[in-house]
Amino acid sequence: MLDQYPVLVMAASAGSGKTTAAVQAAEALSGPVAWVSLAGMPGNVDPGAEALTRRLRAAVELHVPTAAAALTDAPARGLSASETGVLLARALAGTELVLVLDRVETIGGCPGAQGLLDALAGNLPDGPRLVLISRVDLPPDLGGLGDVHRVAFLEDPDLAFEVAEAAEALRAVDRGDDPSRLVGATGGWVGGVLYDWWGADASASAVQHGRLAADLLTQLTPAERALLVRTSLLDDGVTAEQANALGLASPDRTLAALRGRRLPLSWSSDGSRMLALPRFRHHLQREIEGLDADTLRVLRRGYATLLQGRGRHEDAVSELLMSGDTAAARDVAELALPGVLGRLDLATAESWLDRMRPAPTPSLASAALRVALGLEQCWRGVQLADHHGRAWWGALAEQPGGEEDLALLVWCLWHVGRIDGAREILGVMPPGHPRDIAAAVLALADNSTPQLAPDLLDRVAGPLEAMVMRIAYRSGHLRELRDSMSGAWRTVAGTPWTVAALRAEGRISQAEEAYAAVGDAPGPVWLAAFEAAELMADLGRRDEAWPALLAGRQRIASTGSRVYEILSLLLEAKLALRLDRDLPRAARALAEAERRGCARYAFTAELAGTWRGLELLLAGRDHDAVPHLTTAVSTMRAGGRRVELPTAAVYLSEALWRTGDEDGADAAADLALEVATTQGPRNLLVQALEDMPSVAVRRADAEPTHSSRWHELVSALATARPVTGCAAPRLTLEDFGPVRLAVDGREVHPRLAKSVELLAYLLHQPAASARRRPLVEALFPGRSDTTGRSYLRQAVYRLREVLPDGLSLRQDGDVYRLTPASAVVSDSGTLQRLLAEAARQDGEHRWDTLRRALDIAERGSYFDSLSTQWLDTRRAELDSALLQARVDAATVALHLGRVREARRLARHVLDSDPYREQAWRVALCAAEAAGSDDELLDLYRGYLRVMEELGVAPSADLRRLVDRLRR
């Protein structure tokens, strides 16, 4: 075309490829090319002509200096814009310059510049060429553009891709899309083919897509632009009727005009429905933010009306709230909230209610109360009660679901300390589960003993499930909490109580897993404010327990709960006593709890008495401790609150013993054991006995045989250690049997075997750290100090080679430390964690944990093929722990009626160590349980031979046992 015509007009849509095509053509020409971009031209007459003249002069100066000089003189000669255009056309005569003017549409508001261009195009002689690039059609009378002999046109259809061209272009940008589909959908429009407008990820290539989308909008009329922007709210396509509902005038004509545009739009086969492709729609939706407030308000109200017509009430509420029409939003919310709460989307319900303040209407009160319980925001219920008064709540019992609302209202008032008001509401409630549950909540304050059915957790649904879980935990119904997790409310709002129950039973690993499953989400308030700190303390992570407690208080502040404030102070006292033995801090926390009214609630008063009693015992004020602990135990028993009863009873036993009441001390200790055995909080019992171990020792000494529960507890206390965390590791050391090291499940092989031994040694040390001298002595015995240090450096270097990212072996002076230690786990470490956890469990849980620990040792002995002094010592320690674990497992198996397992485990221990009297006792009892008198006598004869070999008399305890078993 440039060979045949002096003037070439490329008028096509944004993204049609016109500028790219011109660039490619210019690069292929042999003659000179001058390129002028008219973007940013000023919008008034004279400056527009002057600006265009300056740009033209700069563009042609390099190729035709005489033309540039003529343009320089034009203003001084007083030439008009048209005369300047004629002057330039004549100055270019005899040259083959191709002059390209890009973005010609921008001079539409510059008459002077338009006149100059008109004269240039109309007077251009043969030889030079003029290329005009525009996003819109140029006026046909511009510079004789109607002369088909001098002017050629390239338009959208000429520039559009054919299928083969689209395939080639897509390959060049590594796109695997079907070119036929794209050409068919876009008519070959280059911007539609090359840009992934269909992509759901609006952030991908955001700059390129945003720039082209903005360019596309500039070529539209105001009506076209308004329709595209405002209807971008619609997610299922746009029709003329819908656009009209959004307040757009003559939308049918505007849609018809848009069908002729090159835009990333999808149309129905009959052209009646339009849908902006995802990334274009994302840009259009951002444009909505630029609308003025009144326009945006009308738009959102119209959209809300459309949504309501389609039954999308939830989306309509959001639009109405954004429009500021809270009255209309409240009406629609009445229809939408049942569905929102049905799927327990408490966050959405909360955001709606917060924007409908000062208080929800009675019609929304039920939803507000459920949000109050689910998010532990008792202030919502108090606000309702104060705003609507007795006339409102007094009539709730007669309304559908009103009894449940009243129970939730009781819970809210109880939390803020308005117990009399809660009791007044209880008085209007008719008999039934909701009233029983509300009465049980109040009983935590007044120490009454309402009777809740044992299977109530399985008989209630909805928010009452979450209320019952709180009561069940305080009552010590741990097994019910563990086994009853099918309800939706239990799953969402009951997680803290599940974690608490698992922790109380000693199932620390499972409690940690349940806690970790919440992830980075805020989670329930009780979980963040209380269970997080309790769990970290149980895991021996003091430095995480205290920050968790303090962070939890920020969550408590948002609830309005006086109960939570008091309990947080009591937890501070507990941690101060348990973790730090910080008596002054505990005393201050208890005093503050008393100041805030912990005596008004029976259950907080007894907890305060428990920790006050421990503080006094630790301070040596034994007589002062007795009344606090006596009252705590008494009220716990009277109110049926048994979860903390073993703790208080252990402390009371110690206090009574120290003050001379031995019978009372024994009775209190036996009460603690009975409750822990029947209700399940074995871990809480062990923790209390760790504070006062003499209680267990005294009761074990008083038992007639060594096979009592008290002897088991003494044995557990003797080997007890904190249960360390079990987070998913990056580095795993299998150190039983053939040694294997794995990074993220992939086996690695350090170049030095000593590097693996170095890792094992560090993992066995506190905080996975050790000083140089002990390391050298353990790993390289007999070496000189210089040689040992050299070998250690090599072992460290080779170990570092296989460590994964984020895990390092650091040296600080002469200290070597693995960090973070939590990223590394060994089989021996896992074994010890399981044994520590088993010591805090009972029954089936203890059996399962012990069995998992023993399964680890089935792979072989510790570092099977290596022998050094430290490895042999470590191996002996583990072998001894495993033998005791087998004895413990045999004992638990016998209690559970697993006679075959008990016999097998006891035999295994006796084959390895025939001098363990406890193993003989279990073996004898298992033989008797199996009904084998012959085996019983044979075992006893074996026992007598071992005792004779040792030269000691047989145990009178075992002799009595055999006599009793034979009878």
Side-chain angles (χ1 to χ4, degrees):
M1 286 185 171
L2 288 173
D3 286 341
Q4 299 175 46
Y5 299 94
V7 180
L8 173 60
V9 177
M10 303 176 71
S13 306
S16 61
K18 53 190 179 299
T19 301
T20 303
V23 170
Q24 292 174 339
E27 291 173 347
L29 293 173
S30 59
V33 178
W35 195 287
V36 181
S37 175
L38 304 185
M41 287 288 291
N44 47 32
V45 179
D46 293 334
E50 293 176 6
L52 179 56
T53 301
R54 287 194 300 271
R55 297 189 187 196
L56 289 169
R57 182 176 67 242
V60 302
E61 185 173 19
L62 178 65
H63 307 290
V64 188
T66 56
L71 291 177
T72 302
D73 295 339
R77 295 165 57 187
L79 298 180
S80 67
S82 297
E83 291 170 332
T84 301
V86 173
L87 176 66
L88 176 60
R90 292 174 179 174
L92 294 176
T95 72
E96 294 184 353
L97 179 70
V98 177
L99 181 60
V100 182
L101 275 66
D102 194 8
R103 299 294 301 273
V104 175
E105 75 277 359
T106 62
I107 66 171
C110 306
Q114 189 169 327
L116 190 158
L117 183 58
D118 182 70
L120 173 63
N123 293 278
L124 193 69
D126 290 338
R129 297 290 184 265
L130 178 64
V131 180
L132 303 178
I133 303 175
S134 173
R135 295 180 177 180
V136 299
D137 292 335
L138 297 180
D141 58 345
L142 178 66
L145 295 187
D147 186 349
V148 297
H149 300 291
R150 300 186 69 255
V151 182
F153 289 87
L154 280 174
E155 298 175 332
D156 279 307
D158 304 302
L159 294 167
F161 281 147
E162 296 175 351
V163 173
E165 293 170 333
E168 181 181 354
L170 290 169
R171 282 194 299 271
V173 294
D174 295 325
R175 287 265 304 280
D177 303 76
D178 179 4
S180 299
R181 181 183 70 86
L182 292 180
V183 170
T186 65
W189 175 46
V190 173
V193 171
L194 290 181
Y195 284 71
D196 182 16
W197 297 104
W198 285 264
D201 182 4
S203 65
S205 304
V207 175
Q208 289 183 333
H209 282 84
R211 184 182 297 122
L212 181 53
D215 287 345
L216 292 170
L217 292 180
T218 61
Q219 70 187 31
L220 303 179
T221 67
E224 292 167 348
R225 180 187 178 107
L227 186 141
L228 284 175
V229 170
R230 298 183 194 184
T231 61
S232 65
L233 290 171
L234 304 173
D235 54 13
D236 58 352
V238 182
T239 64
E241 293 78 12
Q242 292 170 331
N244 186 65
L246 295 180
L248 292 157
S250 304
D252 49 350
R253 289 201 298 269
T254 308
L255 283 170
L258 286 171
R259 280 197 293 274
R261 298 285 194 179
R262 295 283 186 170
L263 294 167
L265 303 172
S266 175
W267 294 89
S268 62
S269 57
D270 61 358
S272 63
R273 182 178 293 271
M274 174 202 77
L275 180 65
L277 297 180
R279 287 185 177 144
F280 187 48
R281 180 170 176 242
H282 178 73
H283 179 84
L284 295 172
Q285 289 175 326
R286 291 206 308 270
E287 292 285 312
I288 291 177
E289 299 169 4
L291 298 176
D292 64 84
D294 291 338
T295 301
L296 188 56
R297 188 159 37 249
V298 172
L299 176 63
R300 292 201 178 280
R301 287 175 181 169
Y303 183 39
T305 301
L306 286 175
L307 291 170
Q308 285 182 260
R310 300 178 201 169
R312 293 172 57 181
H313 300 298
E314 293 181 28
D315 294 331
V317 173
S318 298
E319 292 296 327
L320 288 168
L321 287 173
M322 284 190 284
S323 76
D325 192 347
T326 55
R330 187 178 291 113
D331 293 337
V332 183
E334 293 180 16
L335 301 173
L337 275 171
V340 172
L341 293 172
R343 64 173 185 270
L344 285 179
D345 186 356
L346 299 174
T348 295
E350 176 192 28
S351 68
W352 290 358
L353 293 168
D354 285 346
R355 297 174 70 175
M356 296 176 189
R357 292 183 180 180
T361 59
S363 59
L364 296 179
S366 182
L369 288 168
R370 279 149 183 77
V371 170
L373 179 71
L375 299 181
E376 297 177 81
Q377 298 171 346
C378 55
W379 60 264
R380 290 186 185 275
V382 177
Q383 182 187 61
L384 282 166
D386 290 343
H387 191 80
H388 298 299
R390 181 186 177 90
W392 163 67
W393 59 256
L396 279 179
E398 306 301 324
Q399 300 176 12
E403 298 173 23
E404 190 173 273
D405 291 345
L406 288 169
L408 296 175
L409 200 56
V410 167
W411 178 84
C412 292
L413 294 178
W414 173 85
H415 254 282
V416 301
R418 291 167 58 170
I419 298 171
D420 291 340
R423 193 173 287 113
E424 188 178 0
I425 293 173
L426 181 69
V428 304
M429 295 180 67
H433 289 327
R435 189 185 191 285
D436 292 342
I437 294 168
V441 169
L442 280 173
L444 294 173
D446 60 20
N447 211 33
S448 58
T449 54
Q451 296 299 314
L452 290 180
D455 61 344
L456 188 59
L457 264 176
D458 296 322
R459 294 165 57 185
V460 295
L464 293 182
E465 295 173 315
M467 289 182 65
V468 174
M469 290 190 80
R470 292 158 161 77
I471 301 165
Y473 176 74
R474 289 290 165 200
S475 301
H477 295 296
L478 304 183
R479 295 182 180 89
E480 291 85 344
L481 283 172
R482 182 188 70 230
D483 299 334
S484 301
M485 284 300 295
S486 58
W489 275 85
R490 297 179 219 185
T491 303
V492 172
T495 300
W497 314 103
T498 304
V499 173
L502 291 169
R503 184 178 54 78
E505 288 182 318
R507 299 165 67 184
I508 311 298
S509 297
Q510 290 170 273
E512 185 183 17
E513 290 171 6
Y515 173 75
V518 176
D520 296 330
V525 173
W526 183 273
L527 189 68
F530 300 102
E531 277 310 307
E534 293 265 27
L535 185 59
M536 294 305 106
D538 280 10
L539 290 169
R541 284 145 59 173
R542 174 196 176 279
D543 292 341
E544 295 178 54
W546 281 115
L549 173 73
L550 298 178
R553 287 184 178 167
Q554 297 178 4
R555 297 288 305 278
I556 290 172
S558 68
T559 68
S561 170
R562 177 180 295 183
V563 171
Y564 282 175
E565 292 176 357
I566 294 168
L567 287 173
S568 181
L569 290 165
L570 297 179
L571 179 55
E572 179 181 355
K574 175 181 178 179
L575 296 181
L577 295 170
R578 282 267 175 86
L579 298 180
D580 300 332
R581 289 295 192 259
D582 188 342
L583 305 189
R585 181 171 186 174
R588 289 194 300 271
L590 290 169
E592 181 61 19
E594 291 172 6
R595 189 186 70 79
R596 297 198 186 191
C598 75
R600 296 197 63 194
Y601 298 89
F603 84 109
T604 56
E606 62 204 22
L607 287 175
T610 299
W611 303 121
R612 177 70 75 187
L614 176 59
E615 180 233 334
L616 293 170
L617 284 173
L618 295 175
R621 297 169 57 189
D622 306 326
H623 285 87
D624 293 337
V626 170
H628 290 283
L629 294 168
T630 300
T631 301
V633 169
S634 176
T635 58
M636 286 179 184
R637 297 183 72 181
R641 293 177 290 275
R642 303 173 71 83
V643 69
E644 297 284 359
L645 183 53
T647 302
V650 165
Y651 298 159
L652 177 60
S653 176
E654 180 68 16
L656 292 173
W657 176 269
R658 292 184 186 181
T659 55
D661 187 352
E662 297 183 12
D663 291 340
D666 290 346
D670 290 343
L671 173 65
L673 179 60
E674 175 196 352
V675 173
T677 302
T678 57
Q679 301 295 126
R682 160 94 172 210
N683 182 43
L684 303 187
L685 173 64
V686 172
Q687 288 177 340
L689 291 173
E690 286 173 336
D691 294 331
M692 300 294 161
S694 56
V695 172
V697 173
R698 282 194 299 269
R699 291 304 296 127
D701 286 344
E703 292 294 320
T705 70
H706 290 173
S707 59
S708 70
R709 293 275 186 174
W710 283 113
H711 283 89
E712 291 179 18
L713 286 167
V714 170
S715 177
L717 291 171
T719 57
R721 62 174 65 193
V723 180
T724 56
C726 55
R730 298 289 313 281
L731 186 67
T732 303
L733 174 62
E734 295 181 6
D735 46 12
F736 279 91
V739 177
R740 179 178 178 270
L741 189 63
V743 173
D744 296 330
R746 177 180 55 84
E747 188 169 0
V748 295
H749 302 278
R751 299 186 190 184
L752 286 179
K754 278 293 181 182
S755 296
V756 181
E757 193 178 340
L758 166 64
L759 175 65
Y761 186 90
L762 289 172
L763 291 178
H764 181 47
Q765 306 306 311
S769 66
R771 293 190 174 276
R772 182 189 294 116
R773 179 174 293 279
L775 270 173
V776 171
E777 292 175 350
L779 300 180
F780 308 103
R783 304 284 184 179
S784 67
D785 187 58
T786 302
T787 303
R789 287 189 176 197
S790 175
Y791 284 157
L792 177 60
R793 282 196 296 271
Q794 294 179 47
V796 168
Y797 176 71
R798 296 307 182 189
L799 178 56
R800 284 172 174 162
E801 285 184 327
V802 299
L803 294 180
D805 293 340
L807 177 62
S808 61
L809 174 53
R810 297 180 180 175
Q811 182 180 358
D812 183 10
D814 69 338
V815 176
Y816 294 83
R817 176 178 290 105
L818 271 171
T819 182
S822 59
V824 193
V825 69
S826 66
D827 283 351
S828 58
T830 301
L831 170 71
Q832 290 187 304
R833 176 179 58 79
L834 290 171
L835 295 181
E837 192 165 356
R840 300 173 182 278
Q841 298 173 346
D842 204 358
E844 289 285 354
H845 304 317
R846 192 177 190 198
W847 165 252
D848 289 339
T849 304
L850 287 169
R851 186 176 57 184
R852 287 161 53 204
L854 294 174
D855 286 345
I856 294 174
E858 293 298 320
R859 302 166 193 165
S861 61
Y862 183 72
F863 270 80
D864 211 2
S865 59
L866 293 178
S867 178
T868 63
Q869 182 175 355
W870 93 265
L871 280 175
D872 293 342
T873 301
R874 175 73 170 142
R875 187 180 296 119
E877 291 173 355
L878 291 169
D879 287 344
S880 177
L882 284 166
L883 279 176
Q884 184 58 49
R886 289 189 175 93
V887 172
D888 293 342
T891 304
V892 176
L894 194 59
H895 288 325
L896 296 174
R898 301 176 184 271
V899 178
R900 179 182 300 176
E901 294 291 342
R903 294 166 75 186
R904 179 183 63 80
L905 289 163
R907 282 289 189 183
H908 188 292
V909 174
L910 293 175
D911 289 343
S912 302
D913 183 1
Y915 306 111
R916 287 187 175 254
E917 185 165 314
Q918 189 179 3
W920 285 108
R921 181 180 295 105
V922 175
L924 289 167
C925 290
E928 189 274 337
S932 176
D933 287 346
D934 291 341
E935 181 182 358
L936 176 66
L937 294 174
D938 185 58
L939 282 167
Y940 187 60
R941 282 194 296 269
Y943 166 72
L944 293 177
R945 285 194 299 271
V946 170
M947 293 300 103
E948 184 179 358
E949 177 184 334
L950 290 174
V952 298
S955 163
D957 184 27
L958 272 186
R959 187 183 300 113
R960 286 193 299 271
L961 174 64
V962 172
D963 290 341
R964 180 175 60 81
L965 293 178
R966 291 196 67 199
R967 288 197 298 270

